[in-house]
Amino acid sequence: MLHCNIADCMLCPPRLRQAESGSMRDIIYWILCAFLTLAVAIVSLRYVTNFWLLSFVYSFQIHLGVIFVAAGLVILAVKRQIYGLVLLLASLFLTAHGFVMLREFAQDEQRTGAAPLFRLMSFNIAIDNWKYSTALADMVISSNADVVNLLEAKPLTFHLQRLFQAYPYHIGCDNGKDSCDTLVLSKRPFVMRQVATIGSLRKDRLVVSSVDFGGQAINIVSAHLSKPYYDDYQMGELDDLGKALGSISGPLVLSGDFNSSAIAPSIQGLLRDQKLKTLAPEPATWPIAAGAFGIAIDHIFARAPLRLISLKRLDDNLGSNHSGLIAEFALDEETSPAR
């Protein structure tokens, strides 16, 4: 059999050149298929098990699905075979189901004529963000928010008195910067207030309060969860958070840094059990560099009869690695409890 070196390729018979080209195409095809099969299988594990090490991967299902679809198209461009088509269809399913899951926790169609009852801001300002501390304090004061939920609030230590003048009622940061993690500010008095620990990794990252808005008590809960790939700590935190929310009756808002998307299986379980809703699509809050193409790991949820009537990302992250959120709420008159 005639064998041709690369240098002698032009002297090879056409059929042999085509055979060698086809062989190389097959190798590339199956290598790409192997990598995409592994990637699709890893993301698809969410339908089998909620393994904590992959929880953060599950938050990016839509983004990864889009990448998988592009890879599937490349594979089919290399060679049109049935297995490549199967991978493309599986990638399309992962992407489409990601969007379906986001819609699961969207509020029903907004009722018209509901006047805003209050405005709430939630922002993880980053614990080492001292450079922007003055600008952050200025932004909070000028936000016109009735309640402000600030996480990793230590950089505001030297601006507390100014903040307390604008917000006479507060929870947190009472004993210097070492206690200044979660800071909840309010223009109206607290009917009830409690600081608690969820999980076993960090202390005092759950604040439960009730604020009086013109005779209507609104339950306001602030939570700061660990990163999902820190062993299974987040799972324990979600268990404790679910128990705390389950003991609260009446209109409720839950806000904070969850370090996970609403489509992560563990977060989905909490939202289903507690009947929490938000406005879809949620504004992306991380990573900052991705802008609107990032994911929402900071959330503001409401439980009926309370409903969100607006949910926006703050214009400037002011040195934080998260974007802040601001939302307006109203009560459904026909389902609102007696005041």
Side-chain angles (χ1 to χ4, degrees), residues 271-286:
L271 300 182
R272 290 191 189 109
D273 291 345
Q274 301 303 323
K275 298 179 173 58
L276 295 165
K277 299 290 183 179
T278 188
L279 288 181
E282 290 182 276
T285 62
W286 185 90

Side-chain angles (χ1 to χ4, degrees), residues 196-214:
T197 295
I198 50 176
S200 57
L201 185 62
R202 293 185 175 91
K203 293 182 178 181
D204 300 338
R205 287 200 161 185
L206 176 68
V207 175
V208 180
S209 62
S210 182
V211 179
D212 185 338
F213 291 100

Side-chain angles (χ1 to χ4, degrees), residues 252-264:
L252 178 145
V253 53
L254 170 65
S255 67
D257 176 7
F258 288 67
N259 276 305
S260 295
S261 165
I263 65 175

Side-chain angles (χ1 to χ4, degrees), residues 122-124 149-152 181-184 196-198 204-208 220-226 237-238 240-242 244-245 253-259 267 270 276 297-301:
S122 182
F123 193 5
N124 183 336
N149 173 33
L150 299 170
L151 307 175
E152 299 187 18
D181 190 350
T182 299
L183 174 62
V184 178
T197 295
I198 50 176
D204 300 338
R205 287 200 161 185
L206 176 68
V207 175
V208 180
I220 297 178
V221 179
S222 166
H224 189 180
L225 304 184
S226 303
E237 292 167 351
L238 286 167
D240 291 345
L241 179 58
L245 296 177
V253 53
L254 170 65
S255 67
D257 176 7
F258 288 67
N259 276 305
I267 305 298
L270 175 75
L276 295 165
I297 64 172
D298 304 85
H299 305 281
I300 298 180
F301 300 111

Side-chain angles (χ1 to χ4, degrees), residues 80-281:
R80 293 192 181 102
Q81 284 194 354
I82 187 65
Y83 188 70
L85 179 60
V86 170
L87 288 175
L88 177 61
L89 293 176
S91 302
L92 287 169
F93 169 79
L94 288 176
T95 307
H97 189 231
F99 285 107
V100 170
M101 288 189 290
L102 283 180
R103 295 296 305 175
E104 177 183 353
F105 305 107
Q107 282 182 169
D108 298 333
E109 290 299 320
Q110 182 173 324
R111 293 174 175 84
T112 58
L117 180 65
F118 68 98
R119 174 182 284 194
L120 178 140
M121 176 198 295
S122 182
F123 193 5
N124 183 336
I125 66 173
I127 198 166
D128 57 351
N129 192 11
W130 297 93
K131 178 180 177 181
Y132 289 87
S133 61
T134 301
L136 286 163
D138 292 340
M139 182 273 295
V140 169
I141 293 170
S142 64
S143 68
N144 198 32
D146 298 287
V147 179
V148 180
N149 173 33
L150 299 170
L151 307 175
E152 299 187 18
K154 186 181 290 188
L156 296 176
T157 300
F158 301 111
H159 301 275
L160 292 178
Q161 295 309 311
R162 191 156 61 95
L163 289 169
F164 294 164
Q165 288 179 359
Y167 290 88
Y169 309 96
H170 76 278
I171 304 172
C173 297
D174 293 314
N175 299 310
K177 65 180 182 179
D178 291 335
S179 68
C180 206
D181 190 350
T182 299
L183 174 62
V184 178
L185 304 168
S186 176
K187 292 183 177 180
R188 294 174 177 266
F190 293 108
V191 178
M192 178 273 292
R193 45 185 285 169
Q194 179 183 4
V195 179
T197 295
I198 50 176
S200 57
L201 185 62
R202 293 185 175 91
K203 293 182 178 181
D204 300 338
R205 287 200 161 185
L206 176 68
V207 175
V208 180
S209 62
S210 182
V211 179
D212 185 338
F213 291 100
Q216 174 66 65
I218 303 294
N219 300 297
I220 297 178
V221 179
S222 166
H224 189 180
L225 304 184
S226 303
K227 293 177 176 60
Y229 45 84
Y230 282 7
D231 208 318
D232 59 352
Y233 287 111
Q234 192 191 80
M235 301 297 293
E237 292 167 351
L238 286 167
D239 287 342
D240 291 345
L241 179 58
K243 293 174 183 176
L245 296 177
S247 67
I248 299 172
S249 59
L252 178 145
V253 53
L254 170 65
S255 67
D257 176 7
F258 288 67
N259 276 305
S260 295
S261 165
I263 65 175
S266 53
I267 305 298
Q268 285 184 316
L270 175 75
L271 300 182
R272 290 191 189 109
D273 291 345
Q274 301 303 323
K275 298 179 173 58
L276 295 165
K277 299 290 183 179
T278 188
L279 288 181

